Amino acid sequence: MSDKDLYVDTTREELIESLHLDYVIGAYEGDKLVDIATFIDARNTSRNLGKKFGGKPNECYTFDAVFVHPEYRGLGLQRAFIELAKKQAVIDGASSIWTTVASANEHSYNNFTKLGFELYKKDVKMYGDHIRDVLILKI
């Protein structure tokens, strides 16, 4: 996405780290990747939002990133990946899932809140100078 106020790219280093330590899943149509999501495992890392905001890292999951190809938006893929993250967090013994979202990103914000996420902290400066709302889902 070109609008960094809505979405800040995952770096190559972060993606490689997640491929080894976390969960990276994709949705395909044939051989075309149409959606990718990253969940940060309940581990002690600066990418664990629960740790950053006072939670116990080994009990906090982070829904880190999701990107849906523009041609496939509106099909419920982000919601499906959020549901997968919820199921995996329960399996891993997490007590909460954290995420950030730009308040102007209405579609993502609505997806998270419809699935039970609540506002934890509003207008936090993150990812450089980008403003995000921090959401939490207690499980």
Side-chain angles (χ1 to χ4, degrees):
M1 290 182 73
S2 59
D3 187 349
K4 299 301 180 201
D5 288 330
L6 295 182
Y7 182 86
V8 176
D9 292 331
T10 301
T11 67
R12 184 180 200 292
E13 292 77 19
E14 289 170 333
L15 185 55
I16 291 170
E17 174 187 358
S18 285
L19 285 167
H20 291 282
L21 300 173
D22 301 308
Y23 299 95
V24 180
I25 60 173
Y28 291 84
E29 182 174 46
D31 61 353
K32 181 179 182 178
L33 179 64
V34 299
D35 188 358
I36 187 168
T38 307
F39 320 143
I40 305 301
D41 198 357
R43 61 185 176 90
N44 192 6
T45 174
S46 62
R47 293 176 64 205
N48 183 317
L49 291 173
K51 174 185 177 180
K52 182 177 181 88
F53 292 101
K56 296 177 183 175
N58 62 334
E59 296 177 7
C60 301
Y61 228 64
T62 299
F63 191 89
D64 187 54
V66 64
F67 182 78
V68 181
H69 188 284
E71 294 175 16
Y72 294 84
R73 292 187 184 146
L75 300 176
L77 293 171
Q78 181 185 35
R79 275 178 277 149
F81 280 179
I82 293 168
E83 288 292 351
L84 283 172
K86 287 168 58 175
K87 289 177 183 175
Q88 190 61 51
V90 168
I91 290 168
D92 290 344
S95 61
S96 61
I97 303 175
W98 299 69
T99 196
T100 62
V101 65
S103 58
N105 190 343
E106 292 179 43
H107 296 293
S108 288
Y109 214 107
N110 289 338
N111 283 338
F112 284 112
T113 57
K114 284 178 183 175
L115 293 171
F117 283 77
E118 297 178 354
L119 181 65
Y120 179 80
K121 194 165 187 180
K122 187 153 186 64
D123 297 333
V124 178
K125 190 182 284 190
M126 301 184 74
Y127 318 119
D129 289 329
H130 302 283
I131 302 299
R132 295 292 185 265
D133 289 352
V134 179
L135 306 177
I136 184 173
L137 173 69
K138 294 183 182 177
I139 50 176

